[in-house]
Amino acid sequence: MLPRGYRYLLSLGLLLTGVACRSPEALRKRADAQVEQAATHAWAGELARARKELAEVLKDSPQHPGALKVQTCVLLELGALDEADQAVSLLQATRPDAPEIAVLAALVEARRQTPVPGWREALIQAWNRAGRPDLKESASFPAPRSEETSFVGAVWERTQSPEIRFTAMLADTASDAQRQWLAAHVSELKDPNLLLAAYEYFQARSGEDALADVRRQARETLRRKLEPIAAGASESEGPLLLLLGESAKDAPLTSADLQALERIAALPRYRSLTLGQAGDAAKQRLESTGITPPAIRLFQAATASQVLDVTLILKKRVEATRERLSHEERIRLGQAVYTLGERIAAGPALIDRLVGLSQMRQGAELMEDAAKLAQATRDLEHVRAVHQATTSLQVDTWPLPSLHRDWVQAALDDEWKSLSALVTP
């Protein structure tokens, strides 16, 4: 038996080093936490800090899959392709059948080409080379740590502007207190596109809603501001929102509703801003606070500002009305719905295509136009294939800031054209 004093010194040494006394499970958790921190640094572009964290993990666990994945991405960002190749080779040796590793290895090879393809093009090429796997079912890349201060909170600390604060809320999740503040200040919103977005933002929610009265009051204020704007609009999103925004989803359309829909469908455009223009406006507002918003936040702000939820109400109300109409009325409604769908589907966003073509198909069914129904169905199947391919790539999980900037910018420029490349033979 060891002398008592020696045992005391040994125990103290173990406590101070903190290594020998840790269980394998504790060591694994510590390594995973370090990899998570490294991913956080990588997403922020702090590559030296990411490499430092990863070096500590890989010193003790040289085959740690999460560390090697993030390491490969960091090395890709740095352009250290030989080292990236070594890291991904270790991954392939330990997990030869992992689809995300096959794509990552192909991405390293793609970046070796001369001339070097852009990040977006390189990833699409890598995914095709790896057999177009569905990465939803594979082990994802280590996620970064949750932000201690939300993006909305960071913006709110720097401005009292309702328009800038609301833009941040479109880009990220807001608290009940922030929503209540905005509801009290919606009368100060001036931009017509933000007024429309706010009207849809404060739509009623199903189930119990502690903010139901707040939402109702905000929408009443917004409606008063929107009505004179929508009256002279050349775009159908505002008039459609005001026509159906407060109605029950299962309420049949009236004769007056049908006449209003025909007038709305005759307008030349569905919306006034493209996705790219909405992104530019969001960027200008957010950067005025001194904050440089991440690309994904700009994209979220742009997409969330696009009014489309009301089209779901229209679809359900059309279904509730179908059997109540005469043949002539059904044809009229079908033409209005089909034309409105065409306007929406002309937009450059993927969701525009999905929603617009769905409405075109519904309109063709009402008109009993077999040719238009068949074409809309084929086009909708193609759009769904593009959506499935986009989901399969899981781009938002890759800790590659350069890839995200390229991907988001291409989406803001023309999302449909950008994503269609995923299914182009």
Side-chain angles (χ1 to χ4, degrees):
M1 181 179 292
L2 293 172
R4 183 174 181 180
Y6 184 83
R7 281 184 288 151
Y8 169 78
L9 291 174
L10 178 60
S11 298
L12 179 62
L14 291 175
L15 287 171
L16 289 173
T17 60
V19 175
C21 63
R22 287 198 182 102
S23 67
E25 178 66 14
L27 290 172
R28 184 190 64 77
K29 288 183 177 180
R30 180 175 182 273
D32 290 345
Q34 285 182 285
V35 172
E36 188 179 83
Q37 184 61 63
T40 304
H41 292 321
W43 276 102
E46 299 169 345
L47 304 183
R49 297 180 70 182
R51 293 195 74 177
K52 182 179 179 182
E53 291 281 355
L54 293 168
E56 292 181 14
V57 176
L58 293 171
K59 179 180 178 182
D60 296 324
S61 304
Q63 294 183 332
H64 190 291
L68 288 171
K69 287 180 185 179
V70 178
Q71 178 87 314
T72 305
C73 290
V74 169
L75 293 168
L76 277 170
E77 280 283 338
L78 291 169
L81 299 181
D82 288 341
E83 293 178 76
D85 189 56
Q86 293 172 11
V88 83
S89 294
L90 285 174
L91 278 168
Q92 289 176 305
T94 56
R95 300 186 60 203
D97 299 324
E100 77 281 5
I101 294 173
V103 178
L104 186 57
L107 179 60
V108 174
E109 184 60 32
R111 295 294 291 175
R112 285 185 177 279
Q113 293 178 359
T114 303
V116 180
W119 285 97
R120 190 183 68 86
E121 293 78 11
L123 180 61
I124 293 173
Q125 178 181 313
W127 184 59
N128 285 324
R129 282 186 178 178
R132 303 166 65 86
D134 187 349
L135 300 186
K136 295 195 307 295
E137 308 301 325
S138 64
S140 62
F141 288 88
R145 290 186 173 179
S146 300
E147 298 173 342
E148 294 182 3
T149 302
S150 71
F151 181 75
V152 177
V155 172
W156 277 47
E157 289 176 357
R158 297 182 177 225
T159 182
Q160 291 286 322
S161 165
E163 295 202 341
I164 298 175
R165 284 186 165 190
F166 179 44
T167 301
M169 292 168 68
L170 291 172
D172 198 5
T173 303
S175 67
D176 283 355
Q178 289 164 336
R179 285 191 283 268
Q180 285 179 298
W181 183 92
L182 179 65
H185 291 79
V186 291
S187 62
E188 300 171 43
L189 297 176
K190 297 179 181 178
D191 187 294
N193 295 290
L194 285 184
L195 287 168
L196 282 173
Y199 188 79
E200 193 165 81
Y201 184 86
F202 282 112
Q203 67 185 333
R205 296 185 179 183
S206 59
E208 185 177 354
D209 186 356
L211 298 182
D213 288 340
V214 171
R215 293 177 187 280
R216 178 182 54 77
Q217 292 169 11
R219 284 166 71 88
E220 288 175 358
T221 300
L222 288 162
R223 190 178 187 90
R224 287 193 295 271
K225 291 178 71 71
L226 282 167
E227 283 176 342
I229 298 173
S234 299
E235 298 80 26
S236 51
E237 58 180 347
L240 184 66
L241 189 59
L242 293 180
L243 175 66
L244 303 178
E246 301 298 333
S247 63
K249 294 181 176 62
D250 56 353
L253 295 164
T254 66
S255 296
D257 291 333
L258 175 54
Q259 292 175 357
L261 277 173
E262 288 177 317
R263 290 194 298 270
I264 291 169
L267 296 172
R269 296 180 299 277
Y270 179 71
R271 67 172 90 257
S272 59
L273 290 185
T274 65
L275 201 60
Q277 290 169 330
D280 288 341
K283 182 179 181 181
Q284 183 176 1
R285 291 191 197 101
L286 295 171
E287 287 186 345
S288 70
T289 66
I291 292 175
T292 300
I296 190 61
R297 295 297 181 204
L298 287 178
F299 187 73
Q300 288 172 339
T303 54
S305 69
Q306 307 280 283
V307 173
L308 277 174
D309 287 356
V310 69
T311 61
L312 300 178
I313 299 175
L314 174 60
K315 187 171 185 176
K316 291 181 179 180
R317 292 197 62 185
V318 167
E319 289 303 314
T321 310
R322 181 190 294 265
E323 302 304 323
R324 298 169 177 259
L325 300 174
S326 66
H327 181 265
E328 179 187 352
E329 289 173 326
R330 193 160 54 248
I331 297 297
R332 286 174 55 201
L333 179 59
Q335 288 174 333
V337 171
Y338 186 90
T339 302
L340 184 59
E342 280 187 310
R343 302 277 189 266
I344 297 171
L350 176 62
I351 189 64
D352 290 336
R353 303 281 170 142
L354 283 169
V355 171
L357 285 165
S358 179
Q359 287 205 336
M360 290 169 66
R361 188 169 66 174
Q362 187 183 44
E365 288 174 348
L366 288 166
M367 291 187 290
E368 300 178 356
D369 189 320
K372 287 183 177 179
L373 177 59
Q375 186 62 55
T377 300
R378 286 193 296 271
D379 291 344
L380 191 56
E381 288 173 355
H382 176 64
V383 175
R384 285 174 175 163
V386 173
H387 179 260
Q388 176 60 39
T390 305
T391 305
S392 296
L393 258 179
Q394 296 288 288
V395 175
D396 58 347
T397 68
W398 291 64
L400 280 162
S402 294
L403 168 63
H404 280 266
R405 284 191 293 271
D406 277 12
W407 196 272
V408 169
Q409 188 56 58
L412 288 172
D413 291 342
D414 191 326
E415 186 182 33
W416 174 246
K417 179 180 178 181
S418 170
L419 297 182
S420 293
L422 294 173
V423 297
T424 300

